[in-house]
Amino acid sequence: MTMRAELDRARKYERQGRPDRAAVAYAEVAGALEAAGDWASAVAVRGRHARALQDAGRTDEAMRVLAHADHAAAGLPPHDAGARAVLDGQAAHVLAGAGRPAEARRRAMAAVGGFRSVQDHKRADRAALHAARLAVKELGHRAAVPAIRELMAGVDPAGDARRQISVLLAEAERRPDRDHDILVTDPDAPSWGRLAAALAVGAHLAVGNGVAWNLADGRDEDPADNRERLAESWGVTDDASWREQMDALLVAENSDPAVQVVLDRRRRGDDEYAWQEAIAVWCGEKDISAETTTALIKLSTRILRYEARFKADEVLPPDGRIGSVFGYDFGRAVNMARWGRNAGYCDAEEAEKDVLLAADRARRMYVSWADFSAGYTLGRMLRFDDDEFGRWYARSVAVHRILTDDPGSPWRKLAWG
């Protein structure tokens, strides 16, 4: 097989979403080029090799290959600027995936300059688009505005990169000055398909925390911060404790089981008193104490108050009611998978499997995104709001509205079920 055919094979693997196979193919081509003394071509292919490794979740290997390629590139003569530009462009993707946005943006900018120097303006524009996205990741939307404007000024006015950068600029200029309750979609991560639809089940927390809902590895979050949050809020400090919490969420055992017991006693058409009578009868059959029976009846009253407020705030339709709060655990399970992978407590395969499982169980329990959101929100309110309809309530309803109303929301683009 010729060198060109080998490269075409590697690119085909990339298009098919098989980065491990692409990495092997690129490594073979780069090795052959190095053996032949064609260092300029080898440097460019090593960059692609590193990116394929990063796409496969093999960050440490990707960084080693990138370091090897950078060392080789340092010895290239000035007229090989195109090869260095290719390496810089690929390095930007690798470093971004490794959670190093400042270095990634620097390499993307170097790629822009390199491609411009060899008159490859099409690739320079693509690198500029990537640099603009990285500016947002590194600096935040508001602070990135000057950098985005500068990049937009240098690209083809009629090109697609200009259009996409202008969208980024408009988004950055209108983004409010806060880091929470914001819908963020990572442009470099899939926003369609089975995994994206599953990740959208975790969008409540992603929007609430101001992070990208469609990043399966949560790489826009700091691993140290995630480990601290997991330890403080969940008691998760290692692989085993993470797995224990994940398993509890996946079977909806993290929340108060009394809530579902009460909801399960309500039949279609029941009014408040019929529901309470059904709870009392069930408690009698189970020989449950009078004290616990009273507590369960009071819980049904709390639920009715929240449902009434949900209807007033259009979280529920006028005739709607909530049948399950299991969605609260399933939505958090999606985020627990992201946090665990980001913190190093699980690998990509395990995290993805858990995300898909959580989403599947949510879809079996609810009939729509809005139905799921109402169940999720009630579960959260019963745990944190204490019937105050305060900050917890206001933020949860705000997130619900963002996800159900914003045209860019995955809930508006991806079907439920």
Side-chain angles (χ1 to χ4, degrees):
M1 187 179 292
T2 65
M3 199 78 70
R4 172 56 59 185
E6 289 282 359
L7 280 172
D8 288 343
R9 181 166 65 99
R11 293 189 181 105
K12 180 180 179 181
Y13 288 140
E14 283 184 317
R15 291 193 298 272
Q16 293 174 340
R18 302 163 71 186
D20 279 309
R21 296 294 298 274
V24 171
Y26 280 131
E28 291 173 354
V29 174
L33 290 167
E34 289 166 352
D38 186 353
W39 288 102
S41 298
V43 160
V45 176
R46 281 295 179 197
R48 297 183 183 280
H49 176 201
R51 181 175 177 180
L53 288 169
Q54 177 60 48
D55 289 344
R58 296 156 62 181
T59 300
D60 290 343
E61 292 177 69
M63 294 301 292
R64 286 196 294 270
V65 170
L66 182 58
H68 170 77
D70 282 338
H71 179 75
L76 293 178
H79 64 262
D80 284 325
R84 281 194 298 272
V86 171
L87 175 60
D88 284 328
Q90 301 302 322
H93 288 279
V94 173
L95 290 163
R100 297 159 70 169
E103 295 174 67
R105 184 162 72 100
R106 179 177 60 81
R107 295 300 290 268
M109 293 299 296
V112 173
F115 285 129
R116 295 271 186 245
S117 72
V118 296
Q119 305 301 305
D120 191 343
H121 297 297
K122 186 175 181 179
R123 285 203 280 189
D125 285 357
R126 288 203 300 266
L129 173 59
H130 191 210
R133 290 169 174 167
L134 290 168
V136 172
K137 288 186 177 182
E138 178 194 356
L139 305 171
H141 283 81
R142 290 288 187 179
V145 167
I148 298 173
R149 285 177 176 158
E150 182 179 351
L151 286 161
M152 190 168 71
V155 300
D156 178 3
D160 187 59
R162 172 65 175 260
R163 180 188 62 78
Q164 293 190 59
I165 294 175
S166 68
V167 170
L168 281 175
L169 178 60
E171 173 72 7
E173 289 177 329
R174 73 176 175 82
R175 186 63 66 93
D177 290 319
R178 64 178 189 268
D179 59 1
H180 58 81
D181 300 345
I182 298 169
L183 175 64
V184 180
T185 302
D186 190 287
D188 295 325
S191 56
W192 297 93
R194 183 176 177 229
L195 180 58
L199 288 168
V201 171
H204 252 281
L205 270 177
V207 169
N209 293 332
V211 299
W213 66 270
N214 61 328
L215 281 178
D217 57 4
R219 60 178 176 267
D220 57 343
E221 301 178 73
D222 182 74
D225 289 345
N226 271 336
R227 286 191 288 271
E228 182 178 352
R229 176 169 58 239
L230 286 169
E232 290 182 354
S233 301
W234 296 84
V236 169
T237 56
D238 55 20
D239 298 17
S241 54
W242 173 84
R243 186 68 256 171
E244 182 180 358
Q245 288 288 359
M246 175 58 78
D247 287 342
L249 290 168
L250 287 173
V251 294
E253 289 184 351
N254 184 276
S255 298
D256 182 359
V259 178
Q260 197 59 45
V261 166
V262 169
L263 288 172
D264 287 343
R265 307 281 76 78
R266 179 165 56 172
R267 298 178 299 271
R268 185 177 297 277
D270 277 359
D271 61 15
E272 178 179 359
Y273 300 106
W275 186 15
Q276 292 178 353
E277 176 65 21
I279 293 170
V281 169
W282 181 84
C283 288
E285 292 172 348
K286 299 294 182 180
D287 198 24
I288 291 172
S289 70
E291 182 181 4
T292 300
T293 301
T294 299
L296 292 177
I297 290 173
K298 287 182 177 178
L299 179 56
S300 72
T301 301
R302 289 186 69 200
I303 292 170
L304 286 170
R305 281 201 298 269
Y306 276 109
E307 287 182 333
R309 183 64 177 269
F310 284 4
K311 291 172 185 177
D313 291 330
E314 299 183 337
V315 174
L316 272 177
D319 60 346
R321 66 181 192 176
I322 295 166
S324 173
V325 291
F326 286 170
Y328 183 48
D329 277 5
F330 298 147
R332 288 184 297 160
V334 171
N335 288 277
M336 180 62 73
R338 290 154 41 96
W339 296 332
R341 181 175 172 189
N342 178 269
Y345 296 146
C346 67
D347 59 22
E349 182 178 359
E350 185 175 12
E352 182 173 326
K353 179 181 177 181
D354 289 329
V355 167
L356 293 171
L357 182 57
D360 180 66
R361 291 180 176 176
R363 293 188 184 103
R364 292 173 185 271
M365 187 65 61
Y366 300 95
V367 300
S368 67
W369 287 112
D371 185 38
F372 161 73
S373 184
Y376 177 99
T377 304
L378 177 62
R380 196 175 196 215
M381 293 306 96
L382 292 174
R383 171 167 286 195
F384 292 113
D385 187 58
D386 294 329
D387 300 325
E388 294 178 357
F389 298 97
R391 180 177 64 89
W392 285 101
Y393 181 84
R395 287 193 57 188
S396 294
V397 171
V399 170
H400 170 87
R401 288 174 175 160
I402 289 169
L403 286 166
T404 54
D405 297 342
D406 192 311
S409 168
W411 292 8
R412 298 287 299 273
K413 297 179 179 181
L414 298 168
W416 178 262

